[in-house]
């Protein structure tokens, strides 16, 4: 195994699950390890405390008159449940079939590490980087970056940059370099439906009091029409429609035809808003998804119970034009309006983030395209992304800089799921891509 891969494995062995308080010490240990890596590269490095998990900032010595790129990443990861579905333990990385298996491989340790290794190689070979570089690696992306916005505001001058580079997105197919120029936004809600004061015998009381599970199911069902369109009043009002050139361009993106998405997802047929391809629905249309639903008996066999409560969690993916707070309110109003009789409801508003969009043909976008072409040997495709990295729009607003999204996660990388994996080829080519990117950006 190369020493570069061995070092990525060290990174992957930290169970840095930001949402789980049992892992606070692991998240910190990972941050300290990262700090050590940057120090060994010879960069000035700071570990910043926040009310949550630490932020790592590392930079080369600033040279006046040179451009500055900020390279963003996150060292926190998602929980590993359901653990029994992993083929190898999530925090014991290994290589099989040209892939690195382990939590955080693609999202995001393996992707930001290529930029660290690229800078390190250039520093070793050239003695310096061709422009000012600031690494900003946070530990709370997977929980909505609650402490990064205040951090950015506090350190605005220190973090001033011309452009941001992020590898935390997808690559449409192996060997097809991919430049992302959009991300969906997000807004989350948690809903608790309550009925009787305690669980009841479903024979003794069933039929004379409302069942919260039934009520919750009706509320969830009310969110969509049968054809997949969202039924919440005003939901689509502010959506900026797709441009003709994007629709045209996306028909030629390999690996993103409806059949490809069906193959990757294992779903029997397409679903969603009428009038759009699957790629268009993913990259440019808003959604409401149920992320969790619970009530009643979940164990083996049957239990005749009328549960006292039911809960569901949902997230809306948003597109340019939509205001997360407004959509969150529209969804809350819709749920209250569609509350069945006989139950009460509590609705908790969760985290939100705006969608992001840039011009892939700007001088920076073209520099990124050249770097991808050189390192992967073919021209990149230009896509928007279905996922969200809300801090990217925040950085646009606070630092005034756009983000180049150079995705290295393949469609079957299984991020947030069991058997997350990262292509060894993308790891190796990613290091070259990062070096080319610094070169290209320094010419602007
Ligand atoms: N790296 C992902 C986002 C992503 C994945 C963008 C694939 C494009 C393609 C990121 O780590 C993530 O999972 N973000 C969360 C954000 C949320 C917790 C605020 C998401 O999209 O669910
Ligand atoms: Zn993620």
């Amino acid at each position: 195994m190369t020493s570069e891969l061995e070092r990525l494995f060290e990174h992957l062995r930290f169970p840095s699950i930001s949402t789980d308080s049992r892992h606070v010490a692991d998240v910190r240990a990972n941050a300290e390890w990262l700090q050590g890596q940057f120090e060994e590269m010879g960069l000035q490095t700071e570990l910043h405390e926040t009310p949550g998990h630490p932020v790592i900032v590392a930079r080369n010595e600033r040279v006046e008159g040179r451009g500055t790129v900020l390279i963003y990443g996150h060292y926190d990861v998602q929980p590993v449940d359901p653990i029994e579905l992993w083929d190898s333990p999530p925090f014991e990385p290994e290589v099989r079939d040209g892939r690195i298996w382990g939590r955080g491989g693609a999202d995001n340790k393996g992707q930001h590490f290529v930029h660290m290794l690229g800078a390190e190689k250039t520093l070793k070979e050239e003695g310096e980087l061709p422009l000012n570089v600031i690494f900003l690696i946070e530990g709370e992306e997977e929980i909505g970056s609650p402490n990064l916005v205040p951090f950015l505001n506090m350190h605005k001058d220190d973090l001033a940059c011309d452009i941001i580079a992020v590898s935390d997105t997808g690559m449409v197919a192996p060997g097809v370099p991919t430049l992302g120029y959009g991300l969906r936004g997000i807004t989350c809600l948690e809903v608790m439906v309550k009925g009787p004061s305690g669980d009841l015998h479903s024979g003794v009381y069933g039929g004379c009091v409302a069942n919260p599970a039934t009520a919750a199911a009706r509320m969830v069902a009310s969110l969509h029409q049968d054809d997949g369109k969202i039924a919440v009043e005003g939901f689509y009002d502010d959506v900026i429609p797709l441009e003709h050139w994007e629709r045209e361009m996306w028909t030629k993106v390999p690996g993103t035809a409806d059949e490809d998405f069906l193959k990757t997802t294992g779903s029997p047929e397409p679903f969603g808003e009428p009038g759009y391809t699957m790629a268009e629905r993913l990259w440019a249309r808003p959604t409401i998804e149920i992320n969790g639903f619970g009530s009643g008996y979940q164990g083996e066999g049957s239990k005749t119970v009328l549960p006292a409560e039911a809960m569901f969690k949902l997230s809306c993916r948003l597109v340019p034009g939509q205001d997360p707070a407004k959509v969150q309110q529209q969804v809350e109003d819709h749920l209250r309006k569609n509350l069945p009789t006989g139950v009460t409801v509590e609705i908790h508003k969760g985290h939100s983030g705006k969608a992001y969009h840039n011009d892939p043909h700007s001088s920076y976008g073209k520099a990124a395209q050249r770097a991808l072409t050189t390192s992967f040997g073919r021209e990149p495709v230009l896509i928007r992304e279905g996922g969200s990295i809300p801090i990217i729009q925040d950085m646009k607003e606070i630092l005034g800089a756009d983000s180049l999204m150079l995705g290295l996660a393949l469609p079957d990388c299984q991020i947030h799921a069991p058997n997350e994996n990262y292509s060894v080829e993308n790891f190796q080519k990613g290091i070259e891509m990062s070096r080319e990117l610094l070169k290209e950006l320094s010419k602007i």
Side-chain angles (χ1 to χ4, degrees), residues 87-103:
D87 294 332
S88 54
F91 297 111
E92 294 172 29
E94 56 181 66
V95 174
R96 297 190 308 271
D97 309 324
R99 301 282 175 106
I100 299 155
W101 300 84
R103 176 57 93 227

Side-chain angles (χ1 to χ4, degrees), residues 70-75 108 112 136-139 141 165-168:
L70 185 148
I71 300 174
Y72 166 85
H74 62 92
Y75 65 89
N108 166 257
H112 67 244
L136 171 70
I137 317 286
E138 69 152 317
E141 194 275 345
V166 183
S167 290
D168 191 25

Side-chain angles (χ1 to χ4, degrees), residues 34 37 40 46 60 107 110 146 241 286 294 298 348 360 372 387 407 410 415:
L34 262 179
Q37 294 289 307
E40 273 173 36
E46 299 142 27
N60 60 347
D107 189 8
Q298 311 277 322
H348 301 280
L372 286 165
L410 291 172
I415 59 174

Side-chain angles (χ1 to χ4, degrees), residues 74 76 78 106-108 111 141-145 168-170 182-184 186 188 317 351-353 385-390 409 415-416:
H74 62 92
D76 65 320
Q78 286 274 330
D107 189 8
N108 166 257
Q111 292 205 65
E141 194 275 345
E142 299 292 5
I143 50 172
S145 308
D168 191 25
T169 50
L183 289 162
R184 287 196 289 190
I186 189 166
C188 302
R317 295 287 165 169
H351 61 78
S352 289
E385 289 281 1
S388 308
I389 312 174
I415 59 174
H416 294 207

Side-chain angles (χ1 to χ4, degrees), residues 51 145-155 398:
S145 308
N147 293 298
L148 199 55
V149 169
F151 180 85
L152 291 175
N153 278 315
M154 250 158 59
H155 298 272
I398 299 168

Side-chain angles (χ1 to χ4, degrees), residues 356-436:
Y356 173 75
H357 194 226
N358 69 28
D359 173 12
H361 304 297
S362 68
S363 55
Y364 292 111
K366 284 193 185 133
Q369 291 188 45
R370 287 195 297 273
L372 286 165
T373 306
T374 312
S375 49
F376 283 91
R378 61 159 283 178
E379 282 192 11
V381 295
L382 311 179
I383 66 161
R384 296 205 229 162
E385 289 281 1
S388 308
I389 312 174
I391 203 68
I392 291 202
Q393 175 62 23
D394 295 324
M395 291 196 286
K396 168 87 190 172
E397 288 170 21
I398 299 168
L399 305 176
D402 272 308
S403 289
L404 303 167
M405 292 176 276
L406 305 118
L408 297 170
L410 291 172
D412 59 353
C413 65
Q414 308 192 77
I415 59 174
H416 294 207
N419 298 319
E420 176 172 351
N421 64 85
Y422 183 47
S423 141
V424 176
E425 184 191 348
N426 284 6
F427 177 58
Q428 285 156 350
K429 290 200 170 152
I431 299 171
E432 291 320 305
M433 178 273 288
S434 164
R435 301 187 67 186
E436 289 300 326

Side-chain angles (χ1 to χ4, degrees), residues 191 193 211-224 290 293-295 310-312 335 338-340 343:
V191 182
V193 182
N211 184 320
T214 311
R218 294 176 75 104
M219 290 164 80
V220 164
S222 75
L223 292 166
H224 294 88
I290 305 303
F293 190 106
S295 184
M311 72 88 190
F312 58 94
L335 292 170
N338 286 276
L339 183 68
V343 292

